[in-house]
Amino acid sequence: MTSYDAALVPQPIHALELANRVRSYRADLKRRIATGEVEAAEVVLICPREAAGMTIADLLLAQRSWGRVRCRRFLAPLALREDKTVGSMTERQRRSVAVVLSLKS
């Protein structure tokens, strides 16, 4: 094994550890949103690094009594697609979503 090969070995392990941390964080975040401990509007505004890759639909669906239809009806007037990631939203889109979510709750 050359020194070049040895340097590449840890990368997949590091990637797996990072992916597991992100999955765990998102699962915990969804549970906290479902229980009302954290507001979805707050997550949209703050956009933690681990949540940046989440779709807006996943975030909205984590709320109690939110299904696909309610999610689509919520996003339609805001001109946002369900597969839009939280991290790719503009600051204006984030504020719009947060304001409308705050009004709905």
Side-chain angles (χ1 to χ4, degrees), residues 43-82:
V43 176
V44 170
L45 286 175
I46 295 171
C47 188
R49 184 174 42 145
E50 295 87 352
M54 284 181 78
T55 64
I56 188 67
D58 283 342
L59 190 64
L60 294 174
L61 292 171
Q63 300 176 105
R64 288 209 180 257
S65 73
W66 277 69
R68 287 268 173 216
V69 173
R70 187 171 182 184
C71 179
R72 285 186 192 123
R73 286 184 182 157
F74 175 83
L75 293 173
L78 298 171
L80 289 172
R81 294 177 13 178
E82 292 178 52

Side-chain angles (χ1 to χ4, degrees), residues 76-93:
L78 298 171
L80 289 172
R81 294 177 13 178
E82 292 178 52
D83 62 348
K84 180 83 167 169
T85 60
V86 176
S88 69
M89 293 170 63
T90 65
E91 189 62 32
R92 184 177 182 181
Q93 289 172 327

